[in-house]
C-alpha cells in the first residue's frame, strides 16, 4: 500500500503543477520547470527518457499479465493490491515519460527538477527494499512469481542510474556555484574570470559536455586516441581543460578557503590541507563514493564462495542456482570495474588540480618574497618545491583513500571470516593488527629518511642551479670538473639517504607481502586448536578474502611511504608560505599629480638584514621635485644601488618615512632579460604603439643591432639574454623602461656596459631627450654625466655625505673631490698620450675596410638563420628497446634481472602450492574425513608460506639494489656529459630543461621506476600462475583467455601511440614552468618595479593549464584503456564460471574449482594492472629517455692530452701569436673573425677596442677555446693551443669576466674554490683588490656568508672579488673583459695601479669601454667587422689624427670635456 500511496502522491503533484502552469501561463513557475533544464545534454536527456519509458513498459506488461492471471484464477485482496501498485506505477512512469518527452526537444539543462530528483531517490531506496524482501521470499519459496523478482532487479538497476543522474547533475551545479562564489568579490576577480572563460578560440575537452554513457565508458577520449593512431600528437591537438578546472579558478577558490590568522598570514599544514580539499572537493567526494562502492562489490564473491563450492559439490538449494551465482559474480565484477575506474579517474583529476593550485601558490609567494627573506630559500630550493613537492602531493591522490578503505576492507573481511572460521577470525584480526603494528617503527624510520632525502636533494638542486647559471665562468676558469665533484659529493649524501630509504621500503614491502600467509596460517592454526572444522568451501572463502585483502596490504608500504613523503612536502611548502612577505607599508605610494614631490625621504633608515646592528642606509633625507634630474655617485659599496632599491620598496624600512608619487620604471645594474622575442622584452606587456616604439628604438641605438639579428625584433633571445652582448642587453633593458612611459625613472649605472660613444648617445637621447620632462634618478660611475644633473647625491658608507649642484658640492667636501680628482687624473693620462711623442717602435699591421664602406656590424655572438633557442626536443614513436637495454645494463650489466625473475616465479609457485595444499587436504563437507592430520596440514602450509615469504624478501632487496645502482649510474653519467658539453649547448638550452631532468626525471628514476619494474614482474608472474591454475582445473577456460588476452594487447597497441606522446608532451610542458619561475625569481625586483605581477601570474597560470590539459588527457587515456580491459576480464571471468558450472558433477574436484575461482577473482584487476603498468612504465621510461638524450650530447675536446701536456711553468713568457684566425658560430653562418693575424708581445699590456659587435669577445672566447676556430691557429709561447687539453689551457690563463660572478658559500670559498692557498695569501689578495677593510668589518671575516649569486654584495664588490681571484692565481696571461665597468673611476685607477704593479711582467689583454683603461697599454688592437683595422702603440695611433683610435679617444675626451671640464 505504501507504494500505491507514493505513486498517487507523485501524480497529484504533477497534476497540480500542470494546472498551475496553465493558469499562470509561465514555463518556469514551479519546481518541475526549471530554466536551467534547457541546457541539458540531449544524449543524456534521451537516455533518462528511455529509462523512464522502459519502466512504464515493464509495469504495463506486468499489469496486463496480472490482469490475465486474476481473470483466470480468480480475485483476492492481496493480488488486487499488487494490481493497483502496478497500475499506479505504470501511470507515474508514463506521466514522467510524457513530461520529459515534451521537454526533450529543447532541453539542455544542467539539473533535473528538484521534485523529480527526490522521487528518483525514494524510488531507488524503495526498490532496494522490495528486492531484498522478494529475495527472502524466493529463498523460502513463498514468492508468487519469479517475474516480480526480475522486475525488482530491473527497477533497482534503472533506479540506481536515475539516482546517480540526479545527484551527478545536482553536484555539478552546486560545484559551479561554489567555484563562482569567491570570484564575485570585486571587479578584479570578475575580470579574471571573464578572461578564463572568454577564450573562444580554445577547444575545450569533450569531458565537459559528455553524456552519462560517455562518462561511464570514457568514450569521450575516443577521438583523441584515434587521432594518436593516425598521426603523432602535438600539443595543439590536445583540447583545453574545462573552465572549472583552470589554474586561475582553482587558485582563487584555494585562496578564499585558506585561513589567515589575524591578517598575519600564518599558515599551518592543516589549513593547507583543508584549502586543498575544498579546491577539488567534488572530485574527492565522488571518488569516495566510488571507492566505497568498489570495496563492497569486492567482497560479494568471497561471501558467496562457500555456497559456490557447495553447489559444485552437488548441494543445490534451488534450480538454476549456478547461473544465479554466475550472474551475481558477473554483476558484482561489473560494478567493481566501473567504480574502480571512476574512483581512480576522479582522484587523479583531483591530484592535477591540487598540483596546479600549489604551483600557483608557490609562484604567488615568490612574487611577494623580499630579497632578504629569499636568501634563506635559494632559487633551486624554491624550484624544488614546484617540481618535486607539488608533484608528490599530486601523486598522493592515488593513495588518499587507502587508509580508511583498508579499515573497511579489514572489517568486511572479518565478517566473512567469522562466517567461515568462527572464533578463528578473531585470531586473524589480532594477527592483522600485529602486522600493522610491526610496521610503525619502519614507518617512522621511513619518515626520517624521507625528510633527510628531500633536504639533501634541495642542497644538490641549489648548487646545480647555481653552477648551471654560471657555467661560462666555470669553463673560462677551468673549474667545471671541480664543481661537478661538489655536486657529486652532494649527490653522495643524497644517495646515502636514498639507499636507506629504498632498503627500508623493501623491508616494509617484504613484511606486508608475507602478511596474508602469516594471517591465514595463524587463523587456520587457531581453528585447529579451537576444534573448528575446516571445510574446503570455508577455507577457500577465507583464502579469497585474504587474496582481496592482500592488495591493500601490499599497497600499504607505498601508502605509508607516500603519506610520509606527502607530509614532508606539505610541511616544506607550509614553511615556505610562512616566510615574511615584502613590506607593503614601508613606502607611501600616491598617484602622479597628487604631490609636487616625486620622491620624499625623511630621516630614513633602511636595512637588508633586520638583525644587523648597523642599517645598510641611515640618516637619509631628501626631496626630489617632479621632473628633476638627480645623479647618485660614490665609491664601490657606498649604498648607491641600495638607495634605488629603497625607493622601489625592496629594502625594509627601519625608521623614517618614504613617499613616492607616480609610476616607476627601473633599469638594473645587471641586465635582466626574459627568454622570448626582443619585441616582447621591450613591450613588457603593454600594447604596441608603433610610433612610440620606433622612437624608443632610435633613442636606445638598437636599430643597427636589430638589423644584424636574423629576425630583427622577432628574434628569440636565449635564457638570460645569452645571444646578446652586454651592451645590447643593457640597451634593450633601457628600451623596456622607456616604452612604459612611467613618471619616475631609476637607472642603476646603465652606461657601464656600453662604450663611450654609445654612452654619450644614450645620455643625450634618453636622459636629456625623451625623459627631459620626467623625474630621473640615476647612479653612475661616469662622472662626465654629472654636470647635467639638477642635483647630485654623493654617498659614502650608507650615508648621503653631500648633495647639491655640481659646482656647489665641488668645493664643499672631500668625498666628491676624490671622485673628481680620479676622473681628472684619467683624462690627464689620455691627454698626455694625445700630446706626447713616440717613445717606442712597434710593428703596425693594418687592413683596409671593406671597399663599399658599409658600417653594418657583425654580431658578437652570431646566431643561425633560425632561432637560437628551439622547442625542446622529444623522441617520437615508441620508447625503443635500446632505452630499456641501456637502463638495465647500468646495474651490473643487467645480471640481477633474471635472478629477480626466478625468485619471483619461485614465490608464485610456493604461494600457489600452499593454497593448493589447503584445498586438496581439507574436505568439502565436515562429514568427510581429511586425508592428513590437522598438525600436518598446518605444518606444511607454514613451511610453504615461510619459504614464499623468504623469496619476497630476497626479491625486494635485489630490486632495491638494482634500482639504486641504476639511479646512481644514470645521474653520474648525465651530469658528467652535461658538464663536459660545450658552451653552445648551454647557450641554446634553457636551464629549466636541465633542471627538469636533474629533479623531476631523476626522482622518477630514483623511486618510481624500480617499483614499476617490480610491479610488472609480480603482476605478470601472478597472471601466469592464475591462468595455470585455471587451466589445470578446467582446460576449456584457456579457450576463453586466449582471445581475451589477444584483445587486451590489441587495445594496448591501439592506446599506447596516443598515451606515449601525451606523456612526452606533459614532460616537455613542465620545463617552461620551471624556466618561467627561475626567470621570475632572478628578475623579481624589475617585475615588481613595473607592477607587472598580475601579468606574470597570468603567464604561470597559462603554463599550468598547458601542463594540466596534457596530464589530464594522459590519465583519461589510461582510464579509457583500463575500462575496456576490465570489461574483457569480467567477461572472461563470467565465461569461465559458466564453463565450471556447466561441467557435469564429478568431472572436476569442487575444491580445486573453488580455488580456481578464488584466484580468478583478482584476474581482472591483475590483468588491468599489468597493461596499466606496461603503459605507465613506458611513460615513466620517457624520463630515462630524456636523461639518455643528455648522455649523448657532444662533448668539448679532451680536458687533458697526456702526450702534449705543456710544462708546469708554461706559459713562461706569455707571447700570443695569432695566425689567419677565422671563427664562425656554425657551419652555415658568416665568419665573425675573418683572418686575424697579429702578435701580443709577452709581458706587455694590449688593449682591444672597437664598436659593439666587432668581435672583441669572440677573440677572447677563442683564446680560451670556448669557441673553436674554423681555420688558423693561436700559439702561446710557441705551443698551439688546439693541440693541448682544455684544462691545461684554461687553468694557465686568468680572466676577469664582464659579468662578475660569486657563488653561495663564504668569502674564502669564492676567492679560492679549489682550496689551494693559505689565509695569509687570501688576505693579501683582498688588500690588493681594495676589499680587505670591507671583509675585516664582518664578524666572520673570511667565513662571512655569500648568498646565492652574491646578492648580498654589490656588483662593484663582486668585480673586485674576481680581481682577487686572478691576484691569487698569478697567471702569465691575464684577460680583462670590461673588468672595471661596474666600479667608480677612483677604484678603477687603483685597480689599474694594482695590475701595473703585480702584473708588470705578464701579458695583459684588456677589453674596455673606458679609454682611460686602455690608453696606458703598450699596444692597442682596434677591431672592425671581424678584421684588424689598427694595431700599434697608443702614442703612434694618436699621432695619426685620421686613425680610428684617435677618433675614439676624441669622442671620449670631447664627451667628458664638454660636460666635465666646463665646470
Amino acid at each position: 500500500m505504501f507504494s500505491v500511496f507514493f505513486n498517487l502522491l507523485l501524480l497529484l503533484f504533477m497534476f497540480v503543477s500542470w494546472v498551475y502552469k496553465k493558469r499562470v501561463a509561465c514555463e518556469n513557475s514551479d519546481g518541475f520547470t526549471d530554466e536551467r533544464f534547457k541546457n541539458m545534454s540531449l544524449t543524456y536527456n534521451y537516455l533518462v527518457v528511455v529509462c523512464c519509458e522502459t519502466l512504464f513498459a515493464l509495469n504495463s506488461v506486468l499489469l496486463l499479465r496480472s490482469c490475465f492471471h486474476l481473470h483466470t484464477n480468480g480475485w483476492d485482496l492481496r493480488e488486487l493490491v499488487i494490481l493497483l501498485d502496478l497500475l499506479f506505477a505504470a501511470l507515474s512512469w508514463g506521466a514522467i515519460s510524457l513530461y520529459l518527452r515534451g521537454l526533450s526537444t529543447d532541453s539542455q539543462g544542467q539539473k533535473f527538477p528538484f521534485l523529480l530528483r527526490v522521487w528518483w531517490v525514494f524510488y531507488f531506496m524503495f526498490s532496494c527494499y522490495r528486492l531484498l524482501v522478494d529475495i527472502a521470499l524466493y529463498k523460502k519459496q513463498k514468492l508468487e512469481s519469479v517475474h516480480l523478482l526480475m522486475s525488482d532487479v530491473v527497477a533497482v538497476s534503472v533506479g540506481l542510474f536515475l539516482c546517480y543522474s540526479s545527484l551527478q547533475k545536482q553536484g555539478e551545479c552546486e560545484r559551479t556555484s561554489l567555484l563562482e562564489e569567491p570570484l564575485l568579490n570585486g571587479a578584479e576577480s570578475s575580470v579574471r574570470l571573464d578572461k578564463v572563460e572568454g577564450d573562444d578560440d580554445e577547444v575545450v575537452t569533450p569531458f565537459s559536455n559528455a553524456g552519462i554513457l560517455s562518462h561511464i565508458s570514457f568514450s569521450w577520449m575516443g577521438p583523441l586516441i584515434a587521432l594518436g593512431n593516425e598521426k603523432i600528437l602535438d600539443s595543439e591537438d590536445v583540447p583545453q581543460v574545462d573552465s572549472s578546472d583552470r589554474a586561475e579558478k582553482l587558485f582563487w577558490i584555494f585562496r578564499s578557503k585558506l585561513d589567515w590568522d589575524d591578517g598575519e598570514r600564518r599558515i599551518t599544514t592543516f589549513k593547507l590541507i583543508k584549502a586543498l580539499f575544498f579546491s577539488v572537493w567534488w572530485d574527492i567526494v565522488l571518488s569516495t563514493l566510488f571507492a566505497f562502492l568498489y570495496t563492497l562489490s569486492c567482497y560479494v564473491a568471497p561471501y558467496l564462495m562457500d555456497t559456490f563450492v557447495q553447489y559444485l559439490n552437488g548441494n543445490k538449494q534451488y534450480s538454476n542456482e549456478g547461473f544465479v551465482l554466475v550472474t551475481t559474480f558477473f554483476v558484482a565484477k561489473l560494478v567493481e570495474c566501473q567504480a574502480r575506474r571512476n574512483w581512480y579517474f576522479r582522484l587523479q583529476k583531483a591530484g592535477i588540480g591540487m598540483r596546479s593550485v600549489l604551483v600557483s601558490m608557490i609562484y604567488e609567494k615568490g612574487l611577494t618574497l623580499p630579497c632578504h627573506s629569499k636568501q634563506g630559500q635559494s632559487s633551486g630550493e624554491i624550484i624544488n618545491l614546484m617540481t618535486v613537492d607539488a608533484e608528490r602531493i599530486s601523486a598522493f591522490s592515488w593513495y588518499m583513500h587507502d587508509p580508511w578503505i583498508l579499515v573497511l576492507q579489514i572489517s568486511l573481511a572479518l565478517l566473512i571470516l567469522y562466517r567461515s572460521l568462527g572464533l578463528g577470525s578473531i585470531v586473524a584480526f589480532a594477527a592483522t593488527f600485529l602486522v600493522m603494528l610491526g610496521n610503525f617503527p619502519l614507518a617512522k624510520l621511513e619518515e626520517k629518511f624521507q625528510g633527510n632525502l628531500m633536504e639533501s636533494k634541495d642542497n644538490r638542486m641549489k648548487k646545480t642551479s647555481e653552477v648551471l647559471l654560471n657555467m661560462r665562468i666555470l669553463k673560462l676558469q677551468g673549474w667545471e670538473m671541480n664543481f661537478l665533484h661538489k655536486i657529486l659529493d652532494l649527490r653522495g649524501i643524497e644517495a646515502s639517504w636514498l639507499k636507506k630509504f629504498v632498503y627500508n621500503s623493501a623491508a616494509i614491502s617484504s613484511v606486508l607481502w608475507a602478511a596474508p600467509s602469516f594471517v591465514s596460517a595463524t587463523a587456520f592454526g587457531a581453528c585447529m586448536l579451537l576444534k573448528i572444522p575446516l571445510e574446503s568451501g570455508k577455507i577457500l572463502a577465507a583464502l579469497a578474502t585474504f587474496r582481496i585483502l592482500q592488495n591493500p596490504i601490499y599497497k600499504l608500504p607505498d601508502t605509508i611511504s607516500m603519506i610520509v613523503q606527502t607530509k614532508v612536502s606539505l610541511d616544506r611548502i607550509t614553511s615556505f608560505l610562512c616566510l615574511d612577505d615584502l613590506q607593503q607599508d614601508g613606502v607611501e605610494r600616491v598617484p602622479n599629480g597628487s604631490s609636487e614631490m616625486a620622491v620624499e625621504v625623511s630621516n630614513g633608515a633602511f636595512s637588508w638584514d633586520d638583525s644587523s646592528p648597523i642599517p645598510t642606509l641611515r640618516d637619509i633625507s631628501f626631496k626630489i621635485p617632479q621632473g628633476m634630474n638627480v645623479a647618485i655617485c660614490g665609491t664601490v659599496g657606498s649604498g648607491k644601488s641600495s638607495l634605488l632599491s629603497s625607493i622601489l620598496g625592496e629594502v625594509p624600512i627601519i625608521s623614517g618615512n618614504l613617499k613616492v608619487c607616480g609610476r616607476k620604471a627601473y633599469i638594473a645594474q645587471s641586465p635582466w632579460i626574459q627568454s622570448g622575442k626582443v619585441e616582447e622584452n621591450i613591450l613588457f606587456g603593454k600594447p604596441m604603439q608603433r610610433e612610440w616604439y620606433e622612437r624608443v628604438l632610435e633613442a636606445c641605438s638598437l636599430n643597427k643591432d636589430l638589423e644584424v639579428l636574423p629576425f630583427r625584433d622577432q628574434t628569440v633571445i636565449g635564457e638570460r639574454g645569452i645571444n646578446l652582448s652586454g651592451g645590447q642587453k643593457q640597451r634593450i633593458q633601457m628600451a623596456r623602461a622607456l616604452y612604459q612611459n612611467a613618471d619616475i625613472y631609476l637607472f642603476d649605472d646603465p652606461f657601464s656596459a656600453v662604450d663611450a660613444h654609445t654612452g654619450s648617445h644614450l645620455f643625450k637621447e634618453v636622459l636629456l631627450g625623451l625623459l627631459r620632462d620626467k623625474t630621473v634618478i640615476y647612479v653612475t660611475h661616469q662622472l662626465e654625466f654629472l654636470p647635467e644633473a639638477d642635483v647630485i647625491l654623493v654617498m659614502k658608507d650608507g650615508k648621503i655625505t653631500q648633495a647639491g649642484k655640481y659646482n656647489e658640492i665641488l668645493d664643499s667636501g672631500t668625498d666628491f673631490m676624490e671622485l673628481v680628482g680620479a676622473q681628472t687624473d684619467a683624462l690627464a693620462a689620455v691627454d698626455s698620450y694625445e700630446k706626447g711623442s713616440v717613445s717606442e717602435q712597434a710593428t703596425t699591421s693594418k687592413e683596409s675596410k671593406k671597399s663599399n664602406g658599409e658600417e653594418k656590424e657583425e654580431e658578437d655572438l652570431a646566431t643561425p638563420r633560425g632561432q637560437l633557442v628551439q622547442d625542446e626536443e622529444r623522441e617520437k614513436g615508441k620508447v625503443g628497446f635500446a632505452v630499456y637495454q641501456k637502463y638495465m645494463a647500468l646495474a651490473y650489466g643487467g645480471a640481477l634481472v633474471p635472478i629477480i625473475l626466478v625468485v619471483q616465479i619461485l614465490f608464485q609457485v610456493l604461494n600457489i602450492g600452499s593454497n593448493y595444499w589447503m584445498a586438496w587436504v581439507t574436505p568439502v563437507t565436515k562429514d568427510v574425513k581429511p586425508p592428513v592430520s590437522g598438525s600436518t596440514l598446518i605444518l606444511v602450509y607454514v613451511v610453504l608460506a615461510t619459504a614464499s615469504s623468504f623469496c619476497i624478501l630476497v626479491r625486494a632487496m635485489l630490486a632495491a639494489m638494482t634500482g639504486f645502482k641504476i639511479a646512481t649510474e644514470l645521474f653520474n653519467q648525465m651530469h658528467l656529459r652535461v658538464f663536459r658539453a660545450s658552451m653552445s649547448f648551454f647557450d641554446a638550452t634553457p636551464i629549466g630543461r636541465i633542471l627538469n631532468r636533474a629533479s623531476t626525471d631523476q626522482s622518477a628514476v630514483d623511486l618510481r621506476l624500480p617499483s614499476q619494474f617490480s610491479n610488472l614482474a609480480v603482476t605478470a608472474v601472478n597472471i601466469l600462475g592464475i591462468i595455470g591454475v585455471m587451466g589445470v582445473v578446467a582446460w576449456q577456460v584457456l579457450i576463453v583467455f586466449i582471445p581475451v588476452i589477444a584483445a587486451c594487447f590489441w587495445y594496448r597497441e591501439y592506446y599506447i601511440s596516443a598515451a606515449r606522446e601525451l606523456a612526452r608532451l606533459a614532460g616537455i610542458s613542465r620545463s617552461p614552468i620551471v624556466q618561467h619561475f627561475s626567470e621570475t625569481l632572478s628578475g623579481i625586483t624589475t617585475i615588481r618595479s613595473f607592477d607587472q605581477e598580475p601579468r606574470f601570474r597570468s603567464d604561470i597560470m597559462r603554463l599550468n593549464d598547458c601542463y594540466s590539459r596534457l596530464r589530464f588527457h594522459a590519465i583519461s587515456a589510461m582510464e579509457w584503456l583500463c575500462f575496456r580491459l576490465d570489461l574483457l576480464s569480467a567477461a572472461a571471468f563470467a565465461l569461465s564460471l559458466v564453463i565450471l558450472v556447466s561441467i557435469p558433477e564429478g568431472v572436476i574436484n569442487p575444491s580445486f574449482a573453488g580455488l580456481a575461482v578464488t584466484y580468478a577473482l583478482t584476474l581482472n584487476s591483475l590483468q588491468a594492472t599489468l597493461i596499466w603498468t606496461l603503459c605507465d612504465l613506458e611513460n615513466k621510461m620517457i624520463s630515462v629517455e630524456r636523461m639518455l638524450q643528455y648522455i649523448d650530447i657532444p662533448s668539448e675536446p679532451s680536458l687533458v692530452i697526456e702526450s702534449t701536456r705543456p710544462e708546469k711553468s708554461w706559459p713562461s713568457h706569455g707571447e700570443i701569436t695569432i695566425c689567419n684566425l677565422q671563427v664562425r658560430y656554425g657551419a652555415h653562418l658568416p665568419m665573425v673573425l675573418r683572418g686575424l693575424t697579429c702578435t701580443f708581445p709577452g709581458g706587455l699590456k694590449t688593449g682591444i677596442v672597437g664598436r659593439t659587435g666587432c668581435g672583441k669577445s669572440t677573440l677572447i672566447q677563442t683564446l680560451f677555446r670556448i669557441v673553436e676556430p674554423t681555420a688558423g691557429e693561436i700559439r702561446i709561447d710557441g705551443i698551439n693551443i688546439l693541440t693541448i687539453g682544455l684544462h691545461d689551457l684554461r687553468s694557465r690563463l686568468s680572466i676577469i669576466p664582464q659579468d662578475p660572478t660569486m657563488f653561495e658559500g663564504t668569502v674564502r670559498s669564492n676567492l679560492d674554490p679549489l682550496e689551494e692557498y693559505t689565509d695569509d695569501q687570501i688576505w693579501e689578495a683582498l688588500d690588493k683588490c681594495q676589499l680587505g677593510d670591507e671583509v675585516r668589518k664582518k664578524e666572520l671575516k673570511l667565513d662571512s656568508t655569500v648568498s646565492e649569486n652574491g646578492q648580498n654584495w654589490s656588483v662593484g664588490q663582486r668585480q673586485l672579488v674576481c680581481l682577487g681571484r686572478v691576484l691569487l692565481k698569478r697567471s702569465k696571461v691575464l684577460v680583462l673583459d670590461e673588468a672595471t665597468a661596474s666600479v667608480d673611476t677612483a677604484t678603477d685607477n687603483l685597480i689599474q695601479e694594482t695590475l701595473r704593479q703585480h702584473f708588470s711582467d705578464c701579458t695583459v689583454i684588456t677589453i674596455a669601454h673606458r679609454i682611460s683603461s686602455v690608453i696606458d697599454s703598450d699596444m692597442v688592437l682596434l677591431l672592425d667587422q671581424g678584421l684588424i683595422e689598427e694595431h700599434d702603440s697608443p702614442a703612434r695611433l694618436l699621432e695619426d689624427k685620421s686613425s680610428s683610435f684617435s677618433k675614439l679617444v676624441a669622442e671620449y675626451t670631447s664627451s667628458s670635456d664638454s660636460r666635465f671640464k666646463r665646470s
Side-chain angles (χ1 to χ4, degrees), residues 870-920:
Q870 303 292 334
D871 290 338
E872 186 170 359
E873 71 286 349
R874 67 177 171 114
E875 301 291 338
K876 297 191 176 179
K878 64 167 62 178
V879 176
F881 177 72
V883 175
Y884 292 91
Q885 199 173 27
K886 288 177 183 176
Y887 177 81
M888 293 297 181
L890 287 169
Y892 314 106
L896 292 180
V897 176
I899 299 174
I900 293 171
L901 284 174
V902 167
V903 173
Q904 180 61 38
I905 291 168
L906 186 58
F907 160 77
Q908 189 64 29
V909 169
L910 291 168
N911 185 267
I912 291 172
S914 62
N915 292 335
Y916 194 87
W917 165 258
M918 293 300 290
W920 178 54

Side-chain angles (χ1 to χ4, degrees), residues 45-66:
N45 186 23
Y46 284 135
L47 193 59
V48 171
V49 172
V50 168
C51 287
C52 294
E53 289 174 343
T54 301
L55 286 175
F56 167 68
L58 178 65
N59 283 286
S60 299
V61 170
L62 290 175
L63 176 64
L64 291 173
R65 182 187 174 281
S66 296

Side-chain angles (χ1 to χ4, degrees), residues 206-385:
F207 172 77
S208 305
N209 303 311
I212 184 67
L213 284 180
S214 186
H215 273 293
I216 288 172
S217 61
F218 297 92
S219 300
W220 56 269
M221 267 301 296
L224 187 62
I225 292 174
L227 183 64
N229 272 277
E230 295 169 8
K231 64 185 283 280
I232 292 173
L233 288 180
D234 291 315
S235 183
E236 297 76 23
D237 299 320
V238 184
Q240 185 57 272
V241 291
D242 185 55
S243 61
S244 61
D245 295 316
R246 303 278 173 94
E248 195 160 5
K249 204 172 239 187
L250 292 174
F251 174 69
W252 292 111
I253 295 171
F254 176 82
R255 285 293 298 266
S256 70
K257 298 297 178 184
L258 195 62
D259 294 330
W260 309 95
D261 287 344
D262 304 322
E264 295 182 6
R265 298 192 172 185
R266 292 299 170 200
I267 304 171
T268 62
T269 304
F270 174 74
K271 288 178 181 176
L272 186 66
I273 293 170
K274 187 178 78 170
L276 281 173
F277 170 79
F278 280 110
S279 302
V280 291
W281 71 274
W282 178 241
D283 288 318
I284 293 176
V285 168
L286 269 185
S287 65
T288 305
L289 293 174
F290 285 124
F292 181 76
L293 194 59
Y294 165 79
T295 306
L296 292 180
S297 62
C298 280
Y299 283 92
V300 171
Y303 183 81
L304 297 174
M305 182 57 66
D306 189 25
T307 307
F308 185 73
V309 172
Q310 295 302 327
Y311 168 80
L312 292 177
N313 196 40
N315 300 327
K316 299 178 183 178
Q317 297 183 16
Y318 51 88
S319 61
N320 297 324
E321 182 186 7
F323 290 103
V324 170
L325 286 171
V326 169
T327 304
T328 308
F329 281 143
F330 180 58
V331 171
K333 272 292 161 197
L334 287 180
V335 173
E336 176 191 329
C337 296
Q338 181 59 43
R340 179 170 52 195
R341 295 280 59 87
N342 280 281
W343 165 23
Y344 288 170
F345 171 71
R346 290 287 176 176
L347 273 188
Q348 290 181 89
K349 184 169 174 283
I352 292 171
M354 288 191 288
R355 180 205 159 278
S356 180
V357 160
L358 287 171
V359 168
S360 301
M361 192 66 196
I362 292 164
Y363 186 86
E364 175 75 12
K365 186 67 181 181
L367 286 175
T368 62
L369 274 184
C371 294
H372 70 281
S373 177
K374 183 170 158 285
Q375 287 175 15
Q377 294 271 338
S378 73
S379 298
E381 288 175 305
I382 299 173
I383 288 169
N384 234 13
L385 293 176

